[in-house]
Amino acid sequence: GRCPEIELQECRFAGRALQLLRFRGVLEEVRLGDILATFGIVGVGGELTLRVGQAEFSPAGIRHFVASGQCRGVSLAALTRYLGWGEMTGSLNIQIDDLTVEDNRLVSLDARIAIDDAIETPNHIEGRLIREIVRRALKMNLPPLLPETIEYSRFGLRLEVRDEMMFVFGTHGPREKTILTLRLFDSDLPLIKEPEQAFDLKPWLDDVRRRMMQAIRESIDKRGTS
């Protein structure tokens, strides 16, 4: 990628240890697939643009971070294959209107996720993936009667996070409450609607924070012994 705009506002060291880093800037044409490939997730593709309005880091982690951006052309098939629940094809686009982190806590997130309309080959989703999504998101078990592969016409959702509680909304259908619409016998069938309950992200983010702080401590220990 490239960085057409960056402003380093403050950078402080004590010896060789970074004490404070504060900046703002823009990243463009970042290849998301190259980043994810380092974690073993291959073939994802996607191009990321990130506008950082304010970022402040210290040895304690993220003091303050405000950003927005978008990522286009992500292979949903590659992502779902990595999860191992079944495959779903399509070109995924993500729009982030607001991402705010304070003292290592996710204060707010406003994002929209959608799939490009299929032009030549219809998008499809495996039945076992539908059952797994419904089981995990809606706490329901669908009967094992779905076809092995089903065509779908629309997929989209909107995310809102407030103080690490995530709310999921649909983007189409009646009152825009539908997330996934299947195509059966040349007719559209809304299948997955927005869940009524919120999702508590704190247990998962607590684990992320523990690993992040462990990595910081190990980095500091290595500098102290070198």
mmCIF file of all heavy atoms in Angstrom, residues 153 178 180-184 187-192:
data_model
loop_
_atom_site.group_PDB
_atom_site.id
_atom_site.type_symbol
_atom_site.label_atom_id
_atom_site.label_comp_id
_atom_site.label_asym_id
_atom_site.label_seq_id
_atom_site.Cartn_x
_atom_site.Cartn_y
_atom_site.Cartn_z
ATOM 1 N N SER A 153 -29.495 -14.491 -3.466
ATOM 2 C CA SER A 153 -29.587 -13.278 -4.280
ATOM 3 C C SER A 153 -29.045 -12.053 -3.569
ATOM 4 O O SER A 153 -28.507 -11.151 -4.221
ATOM 5 C CB SER A 153 -31.046 -13.024 -4.695
ATOM 6 O OG SER A 153 -31.887 -12.959 -3.560
ATOM 7 N N THR A 178 -33.794 -7.983 6.790
ATOM 8 C CA THR A 178 -33.270 -9.249 6.268
ATOM 9 C C THR A 178 -31.768 -9.166 6.045
ATOM 10 O O THR A 178 -31.255 -8.167 5.527
ATOM 11 C CB THR A 178 -33.967 -9.621 4.952
ATOM 12 O OG1 THR A 178 -35.381 -9.690 5.178
ATOM 13 C CG2 THR A 178 -33.482 -10.966 4.445
ATOM 14 N N LEU A 180 -29.947 -12.356 4.866
ATOM 15 C CA LEU A 180 -29.664 -13.289 3.774
ATOM 16 C C LEU A 180 -30.954 -13.682 3.069
ATOM 17 O O LEU A 180 -31.915 -14.127 3.714
ATOM 18 C CB LEU A 180 -28.966 -14.544 4.306
ATOM 19 C CG LEU A 180 -28.682 -15.658 3.285
ATOM 20 C CD1 LEU A 180 -27.698 -15.175 2.227
ATOM 21 C CD2 LEU A 180 -28.165 -16.914 3.981
ATOM 22 N N THR A 181 -30.977 -13.529 1.739
ATOM 23 C CA THR A 181 -32.115 -13.913 0.910
ATOM 24 C C THR A 181 -31.683 -14.972 -0.084
ATOM 25 O O THR A 181 -30.742 -14.759 -0.865
ATOM 26 C CB THR A 181 -32.689 -12.698 0.157
ATOM 27 O OG1 THR A 181 -33.180 -11.744 1.101
ATOM 28 C CG2 THR A 181 -33.827 -13.111 -0.755
ATOM 29 N N LEU A 182 -32.367 -16.125 -0.053
ATOM 30 C CA LEU A 182 -32.061 -17.221 -0.960
ATOM 31 C C LEU A 182 -32.876 -17.079 -2.249
ATOM 32 O O LEU A 182 -33.897 -16.405 -2.275
ATOM 33 C CB LEU A 182 -32.375 -18.563 -0.303
ATOM 34 C CG LEU A 182 -31.640 -18.901 0.996
ATOM 35 C CD1 LEU A 182 -32.025 -20.288 1.461
ATOM 36 C CD2 LEU A 182 -30.134 -18.785 0.829
ATOM 37 N N ARG A 183 -32.420 -17.752 -3.304
ATOM 38 C CA ARG A 183 -33.154 -17.826 -4.566
ATOM 39 C C ARG A 183 -33.562 -19.286 -4.788
ATOM 40 O O ARG A 183 -32.712 -20.146 -5.039
ATOM 41 C CB ARG A 183 -32.279 -17.320 -5.710
ATOM 42 C CG ARG A 183 -32.902 -17.453 -7.085
ATOM 43 C CD ARG A 183 -34.132 -16.595 -7.289
ATOM 44 N NE ARG A 183 -33.892 -15.182 -7.077
ATOM 45 C CZ ARG A 183 -33.390 -14.369 -8.013
ATOM 46 N NH1 ARG A 183 -33.045 -14.850 -9.194
ATOM 47 N NH2 ARG A 183 -33.232 -13.086 -7.739
ATOM 48 N N LEU A 184 -34.866 -19.566 -4.640
ATOM 49 C CA LEU A 184 -35.385 -20.908 -4.799
ATOM 50 C C LEU A 184 -36.507 -20.904 -5.825
ATOM 51 O O LEU A 184 -37.472 -20.133 -5.690
ATOM 52 C CB LEU A 184 -35.906 -21.453 -3.460
ATOM 53 C CG LEU A 184 -34.861 -21.719 -2.358
ATOM 54 C CD1 LEU A 184 -35.558 -22.096 -1.060
ATOM 55 C CD2 LEU A 184 -33.891 -22.804 -2.784
ATOM 56 N N SER A 187 -37.617 -17.667 -7.201
ATOM 57 C CA SER A 187 -38.253 -16.735 -6.258
ATOM 58 C C SER A 187 -37.291 -16.444 -5.120
ATOM 59 O O SER A 187 -36.466 -17.293 -4.749
ATOM 60 C CB SER A 187 -39.553 -17.325 -5.702
ATOM 61 O OG SER A 187 -40.488 -17.545 -6.732
ATOM 62 N N ASP A 188 -37.390 -15.225 -4.562
ATOM 63 C CA ASP A 188 -36.553 -14.837 -3.432
ATOM 64 C C ASP A 188 -37.227 -15.236 -2.128
ATOM 65 O O ASP A 188 -38.427 -14.988 -1.927
ATOM 66 C CB ASP A 188 -36.309 -13.329 -3.436
ATOM 67 C CG ASP A 188 -35.336 -12.920 -4.538
ATOM 68 O OD1 ASP A 188 -34.581 -13.798 -4.998
ATOM 69 O OD2 ASP A 188 -35.339 -11.739 -4.929
ATOM 70 N N LEU A 189 -36.432 -15.837 -1.234
ATOM 71 C CA LEU A 189 -36.932 -16.295 0.060
ATOM 72 C C LEU A 189 -36.049 -15.722 1.160
ATOM 73 O O LEU A 189 -34.913 -16.157 1.326
ATOM 74 C CB LEU A 189 -36.925 -17.820 0.133
ATOM 75 C CG LEU A 189 -37.302 -18.433 1.489
ATOM 76 C CD1 LEU A 189 -38.758 -18.118 1.825
ATOM 77 C CD2 LEU A 189 -37.054 -19.940 1.490
ATOM 78 N N PRO A 190 -36.548 -14.734 1.926
ATOM 79 C CA PRO A 190 -35.761 -14.228 3.062
ATOM 80 C C PRO A 190 -35.550 -15.348 4.078
ATOM 81 O O PRO A 190 -36.510 -15.971 4.525
ATOM 82 C CB PRO A 190 -36.645 -13.117 3.635
ATOM 83 C CG PRO A 190 -37.595 -12.756 2.543
ATOM 84 C CD PRO A 190 -37.824 -14.018 1.771
ATOM 85 N N LEU A 191 -34.283 -15.613 4.417
ATOM 86 C CA LEU A 191 -33.982 -16.726 5.324
ATOM 87 C C LEU A 191 -33.509 -16.260 6.688
ATOM 88 O O LEU A 191 -34.038 -16.686 7.719
ATOM 89 C CB LEU A 191 -32.926 -17.645 4.700
ATOM 90 C CG LEU A 191 -32.532 -18.837 5.576
ATOM 91 C CD1 LEU A 191 -33.688 -19.818 5.693
ATOM 92 C CD2 LEU A 191 -31.298 -19.545 5.036
ATOM 93 N N ILE A 192 -32.497 -15.388 6.713
ATOM 94 C CA ILE A 192 -31.937 -14.953 7.993
ATOM 95 C C ILE A 192 -32.305 -13.492 8.216
ATOM 96 O O ILE A 192 -31.970 -12.627 7.401
ATOM 97 C CB ILE A 192 -30.408 -15.137 8.030
ATOM 98 C CG1 ILE A 192 -30.053 -16.619 7.865
ATOM 99 C CG2 ILE A 192 -29.842 -14.611 9.337
ATOM 100 C CD1 ILE A 192 -28.569 -16.895 7.879
#
